[in-house]
Every structure is written in structure tokens, then in C-alpha cells.
Amino acid sequence: MKISNTRENLLATNADLAGSSFTNVNLRGTTFADVNLSQSEFTDINFSGAKFTNVNLTAVEIRDCDLNGFRIEGIPVFDLMRVYEEKGNAG
């Protein structure tokens, strides 16, 4: 599935969207629950306030995206990135 230049709200539940491409899309406040997004690409996306619960993000590429307020399993993505970077620098 290819989604581009979209500003509508999106709610995805119990879906297989593996290999999808999202470009220039506003996913602000979007909810993904029980969704397979493996091997998908996100470019120039506004993820502000997006919530991902039980989502497969294996091999996902995220480029040039606003991650402010974006949560995965209730945890802010910025916190996940900070912990990942701290572990990488501690090694």
C-alpha cells in the first residue's frame, strides 16, 4: 500500500500493512493497534501524538519525521531513542 500527500486522520486496527510506503502524510494523533508494518517506509511524516500498540515495526525505515509525542506501547519514542543511544555509547 502506498499512501502519500494525505492529511486525513487514520485509524488502523488488525491490519497487515507490511511493505507499505507512507510519504508526506499527517499521522498526528493516529492510532495503530494490532498492525503489521514490517518493512514499511515512512518519509516526511508528522507522528505527533501517534499511538502504536502491538505493532510489528521490524525493519521499518523512518526518515525526516516529526516524532514529538509519538508513543509505542505507551512509551514516548524520544525516551526509547535516548535509552538506545545511551546503551550504544556505554558499550
Side-chain angles (χ1 to χ4, degrees), residues 50-63:
K51 296 174 185 166
F52 283 35
T53 304
N54 196 26
V55 174
N56 182 353
L57 296 171
T58 303
V60 166
E61 290 188 35
I62 298 175
R63 290 183 227 109

Side-chain angles (χ1 to χ4, degrees), residues 67-88:
L67 303 175
N68 187 32
F70 177 26
R71 295 177 175 268
I72 297 175
E73 299 294 336
I75 302 169
V77 169
F78 283 127
D79 289 349
L80 295 171
M81 290 171 39
R82 187 185 74 248
V83 168
Y84 177 79
E85 289 174 2
E86 287 173 359
K87 283 189 165 208

Side-chain angles (χ1 to χ4, degrees), residues 2-8 21-25:
K2 292 186 180 192
I3 300 173
S4 61
N5 302 315
T6 299
R7 296 291 173 245
E8 291 81 16
S21 174
F22 297 80
T23 306
N24 191 23
V25 178

